């Protein structure tokens, strides 16, 4: 943290130093050491990913502006020290994103609403187990629509002491997130119900295309139907993703951990805790461990 300390010492106001330290640590919290090379590697895409994380956590626009002001000042200083050749925080694409309206389809759910949604999803003897697994997996792994639709049996596997879900819908390289034992158990039950050993995990139970992989649109319909039946509204897959990230934040996960878990852009800060070459560190420090809610009483087969 020597570079950060050097920057803070350059500020004349002790009040500003305290405020900037807090805001900068939100961005750099997972960096083992803020070296010149580390700072040079940060791009405007990293800063924008940081803003997107704050937006998805419903942080106020004022909080976003304050943290961006701290980053802009830091990189202005880095330029004068010839550590960086530009200020990525001043890029025109980097600006605060007002939080979503709480009544919109992209809001996050409370723990009680998650429980009610899972209970509603599990109402069917035939499809309840599968539908609960889709919702629970999406929340815990903070999956996007394309990611949940692409989950295959082989994507769920142990890595060291932990269970992971490989996330690679576009075939662009290995990326994974940690998932808890409860999610693995529910997925195993789905595999047993359908007799699956490989291939797409989510399968249709309709008479028209029984056994065929579910499309992203079909999964969207399952999620929306469960939310409506639970009385929490017409929720979307993005609602579930935001819920997982919100629960992780409420549980104490840092913004950098959330960036890594949510796979926001190419955050330089998040990369240090989500590097496939450091399998122990990134899984142990995953935001997933901070997602804590007990829904065992409503899960089928648990």
């Amino acid at each position: 943290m020597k570079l950060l300390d050097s920057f803070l010492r350059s500020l004349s106001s002790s009040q500003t130093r305290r405020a900037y330290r807090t805001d900068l640590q939100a961005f750099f919290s997972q960096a083992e050491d803020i070296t010149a090379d580390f700072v040079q590697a940060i791009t405007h895409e990293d800063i924008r990913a940081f803003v997107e994380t704050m937006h998805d956590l419903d942080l106020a626009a004022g909080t976003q502006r304050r943290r961006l002001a701290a980053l802009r000042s830091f990189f202005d200083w880095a330029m004068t020290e010839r550590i960086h050749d530009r200020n990525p925080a001043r890029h025109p694409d980097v600006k605060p994103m007002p939080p979503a309206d709480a009544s919109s389809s992209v809001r996050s759910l409370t723990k009680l609403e998650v429980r009610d949604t899972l209970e509603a999803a599990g109402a069917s003897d035939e499809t309840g187990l599968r539908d609960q697994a889709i919702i629970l997996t999406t929340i815990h792994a903070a999956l996007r629509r394309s990611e949940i639709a692409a989950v295959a049996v082989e994507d769920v596997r142990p890595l060291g002491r932990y269970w992971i879900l490989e996330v690679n819908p576009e075939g662009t390289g290995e990326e994974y997130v940690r998932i808890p034992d409860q999610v693995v158990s529910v997925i195993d039950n789905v595999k047993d119900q359908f007799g699956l050993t490989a291939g797409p995990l989510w399968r249709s139970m309709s008479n028209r295309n029984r056994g065929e992989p579910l499309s992203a649109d079909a999964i969207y319909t399952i999620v929306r139907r469960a939310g409506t039946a639970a009385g929490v509204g017409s929720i979307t897959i993005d609602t579930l993703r935001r819920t997982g990230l919100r629960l992780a934040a409420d549980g104490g996960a840092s913004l950098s951990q959330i960036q890594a878990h949510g796979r926001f852009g190419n955050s330089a800060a998040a990369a240090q805790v989500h590097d496939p070459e450091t399998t122990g560190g990134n899984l142990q420090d995953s935001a997933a461990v901070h997602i804590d809610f007990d829904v065992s009483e409503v899960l089928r087969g648990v």
Side-chain angles (χ1 to χ4, degrees):
M1 298 288 182
K2 291 181 179 179
L3 282 182
L4 180 57
D5 290 336
S6 296
F7 162 66
L8 293 172
R9 284 196 298 269
S10 73
L11 303 174
S12 58
S13 168
S14 60
Q15 184 176 357
T16 301
R17 283 197 297 271
R18 287 193 298 271
Y20 276 16
R21 180 182 293 277
T22 298
D23 290 329
L24 291 172
Q25 284 176 340
F27 180 78
F28 290 115
S29 62
Q30 291 301 304
E32 294 180 2
D33 189 18
I34 304 176
T35 63
D37 287 343
F38 180 79
V39 171
Q40 288 168 5
I42 295 173
T43 69
H44 76 275
E45 293 178 347
D46 299 323
I47 310 295
R48 179 172 173 78
F50 180 64
V51 174
E52 289 174 354
T53 306
M54 292 191 287
H55 168 261
D56 271 14
L57 294 177
D58 292 328
L59 297 189
T63 300
Q64 296 180 35
R65 284 193 294 270
R66 193 188 69 236
R67 289 179 173 173
L68 280 177
L71 283 168
R72 286 164 180 158
S73 295
F74 173 77
F75 283 103
D76 282 343
W77 173 83
M79 290 175 64
T80 64
E81 297 294 318
R82 300 186 183 279
I83 297 170
H84 210 297
D85 61 354
R86 61 182 63 87
N87 189 328
R90 294 191 182 279
H91 191 279
D93 288 345
V94 174
K95 52 190 174 183
M97 300 172 64
D101 187 336
S103 66
S104 74
S105 62
V106 294
R107 66 184 180 90
S108 58
L109 304 179
T110 65
K111 291 182 180 182
L112 181 59
E113 287 175 329
V114 170
R115 179 200 174 282
D116 290 347
T117 301
L118 284 167
E119 185 173 26
S124 168
D125 290 337
E126 187 172 40
T127 65
L129 178 61
R130 178 203 65 191
D131 295 352
Q132 286 186 333
I134 288 172
I135 293 170
L136 201 63
T137 303
T138 303
I139 291 174
H140 276 281
L143 298 179
R144 298 178 175 88
R145 177 172 168 147
S146 61
E147 293 170 341
I148 186 63
V151 173
V153 172
E154 301 92 329
D155 293 336
V156 180
R157 61 182 178 85
L159 181 61
R161 294 180 296 158
Y162 308 107
W163 281 92
I164 65 163
L165 170 65
E166 288 195 20
V167 182
N168 186 20
E170 306 299 334
T172 55
E174 183 184 70
E175 191 168 15
Y176 53 82
V177 290
R178 178 175 167 177
I179 53 175
D181 292 343
Q182 185 179 65
V183 173
V184 176
S185 177
V186 172
I187 288 175
D188 282 344
N189 289 338
V190 171
K191 289 160 56 178
D192 290 342
Q193 180 186 25
F194 286 84
L196 301 176
T197 58
L201 179 59
W202 317 122
R203 304 295 181 103
S204 171
M205 296 292 287
S206 71
N207 293 328
R208 182 168 57 85
N209 55 356
R210 180 176 292 269
E212 292 297 312
L214 287 178
S215 66
D217 287 343
I219 293 175
Y220 174 87
T221 300
I222 288 169
V223 170
R224 183 181 61 186
R225 184 171 60 225
T228 301
V232 301
S234 183
I235 61 175
T236 66
I237 294 168
D238 192 50
T239 308
L240 301 181
R241 169 178 162 82
R242 287 166 56 87
T243 296
L245 297 174
R246 178 75 258 176
L247 290 174
D250 290 345
S254 69
L255 280 174
S256 293
Q257 287 175 315
I258 292 167
Q259 279 186 275
H261 188 62
R263 301 163 308 287
F264 286 94
N266 298 303
S267 168
Q272 290 204 1
V273 296
H274 200 63
D275 181 356
E277 298 300 321
T278 58
T279 56
N282 72 308
L283 293 178
Q284 181 178 354
D285 296 333
S286 170
V289 303
H290 298 280
I291 302 174
D292 182 25
F293 59 93
D294 184 10
V295 291
S296 56
E297 65 182 67
V298 302
L299 292 179
R300 301 181 66 94
V302 175

